[in-house]
Amino acid sequence: MSKNGLILGAGGARGFAHLGFLQALAEEEITIDLVVGCSIGAIFGALYAAGIDLYRLERLLSHPGFSRQLFDISVSRGGFIKGDKVLEAMRLLTKNLSFEELKIPLAIVATDIETGELVVFKEGSVAQAVRASISIPGVFQPFRYQGHLLVDGAVKNRLPIHVGREMGADKILAVDVKKGLSTKINNAMDVLLQSVEILEEEVFRLGSSGADLLIQPEVGHIGSLQFEIANEAIDLGYQAAAAKSSEIRRIFL
């Protein structure tokens, strides 16, 4: 029997579209046999693999100010968000599961900032692997884990389709939430984030052809740190899945 792999890519606040997309998949009763997540995709991939109720999660994330409460600001040369609160939230939401205890096999990618290598986590603490994968350079402080100093997996590959193939997926459904560059450049942080995205684009173009179906929700107008409009991103992710529902069913059922 063929295996369906789901790849959830990086994108900051745009990645809330992954939640809407996952809700649509559940409604279509599409079976996913393995998941690969990068950055914000690692968050939703981990929660999906842990079996969390997707609609309860939406209510939690849509609560006014919830996402901002997870930003523990700190004066540091490595990044202005410590990331401890995100780590604790992921421990709670995943019930502190290890990869081996998840309902669906999961891989999470991060980048070793000292060696430049892509690091793929498939064992150990899910929450700590997620914390490593979300470490946007200059925003989150790098995370030391399993002998690596780690930053955002998107630095190396924002949509790691090849990891899904290596895990045995015969068919790959990939969701990219970084279609289009933001036109809102208002401060130094916007400049930094946009620069990283431009650098990521070439790697994405080279690797995205490996998916059996690539879906890109129309979330390019949402800034990477605009977590206050989570509902809009969630809705756009759902709409993207609904628009391709017949194709998804044809390929993955």
Side-chain angles (χ1 to χ4, degrees), residues 73-89:
I73 305 300
S74 173
V75 178
S76 167
R77 289 178 297 176
F80 69 84
I81 299 175
K82 289 175 65 177
D84 293 348
K85 289 185 178 180
V86 173
L87 176 58
E88 184 57 30

Side-chain angles (χ1 to χ4, degrees), residues 5 14 21 28 47 58 65 95 100 112 123 138 183 194 221:
R14 301 173 200 168
F21 189 88
E28 292 285 346
L47 296 175
E58 179 180 3
K95 300 178 182 178
E100 296 81 1
D112 187 318
E123 58 184 18
T183 57
Q194 185 89 322
H221 62 286

Side-chain angles (χ1 to χ4, degrees), residues 1-248:
M1 182 177 292
S2 65
K3 287 186 177 180
N4 292 337
L6 176 65
I7 317 297
L8 301 177
R14 301 173 200 168
F16 277 70
H18 289 315
L19 178 53
F21 189 88
L22 289 169
Q23 290 172 343
L25 282 190
E27 291 175 10
E28 292 285 346
E29 299 183 341
I30 303 296
T31 298
I32 296 300
D33 300 298
L34 61 92
V35 183
V36 181
C38 178
S39 198
I40 190 76
I43 291 178
F44 288 109
L47 296 175
Y48 179 68
I52 194 168
D53 184 296
L54 298 174
Y55 298 94
R56 288 183 61 191
L57 179 60
E58 179 180 3
R59 289 193 293 272
L60 175 64
L61 297 179
S62 301
H63 190 274
F66 174 78
S67 297
R68 294 291 177 182
Q69 291 175 19
L70 300 180
F71 292 171
D72 40 4
I73 305 300
S74 173
V75 178
S76 167
R77 289 178 297 176
F80 69 84
I81 299 175
K82 289 175 65 177
D84 293 348
K85 289 185 178 180
V86 173
L87 176 58
E88 184 57 30
M90 288 303 301
R91 281 184 172 138
L92 289 170
L93 291 171
T94 63
K95 300 178 182 178
N96 208 23
L97 294 177
S98 67
F99 281 83
E100 296 81 1
E101 297 170 312
L102 294 170
K103 296 180 182 296
I104 302 172
L106 171 72
I108 288 174
V109 302
T111 304
D112 187 318
I113 194 63
E114 294 175 320
T115 66
E117 296 175 341
L118 187 74
V119 180
V120 182
F121 294 104
K122 300 177 187 175
E123 58 184 18
S125 165
V126 173
Q128 291 192 76
V130 170
R131 168 62 186 87
S133 186
I134 66 169
S135 302
I136 302 171
V139 179
F140 282 88
Q141 294 177 12
F143 188 64
R144 178 74 66 179
Y145 183 53
Q146 292 190 7
H148 302 276
L149 185 62
L150 298 156
V151 296
D152 196 330
V155 171
K156 194 72 175 178
N157 191 338
R158 80 178 193 226
L159 196 68
I161 291 168
H162 72 284
V163 176
R165 295 292 185 196
E166 290 167 2
M167 292 174 69
D170 300 294
K171 298 177 182 177
I172 292 284
L173 175 57
V175 186
D176 174 54
V177 292
K178 281 197 172 183
K179 180 184 177 182
L181 296 172
S182 174
T183 57
K184 299 175 183 178
I185 308 296
N186 299 318
N187 52 48
M189 185 53 61
D190 290 340
V191 171
L192 173 62
L193 294 173
Q194 185 89 322
S195 298
V196 170
E197 290 190 14
I198 290 170
L199 292 171
E200 292 169 4
E201 188 64 25
E202 184 64 24
V203 176
F204 168 74
R205 282 201 297 269
L206 291 172
S208 61
S209 60
D212 293 277
L213 182 60
L214 172 66
I215 294 183
Q216 295 176 295
E218 297 292 340
V219 290
H221 62 286
I222 298 175
S224 294
L225 299 179
Q226 282 190 291
F227 292 97
E228 68 277 5
I229 55 174
N231 278 331
E232 181 178 349
I234 293 169
D235 289 344
L236 289 168
Y238 186 94
Q239 291 171 26
K244 294 282 188 176
S245 62
S246 60
E247 196 169 355
I248 292 171

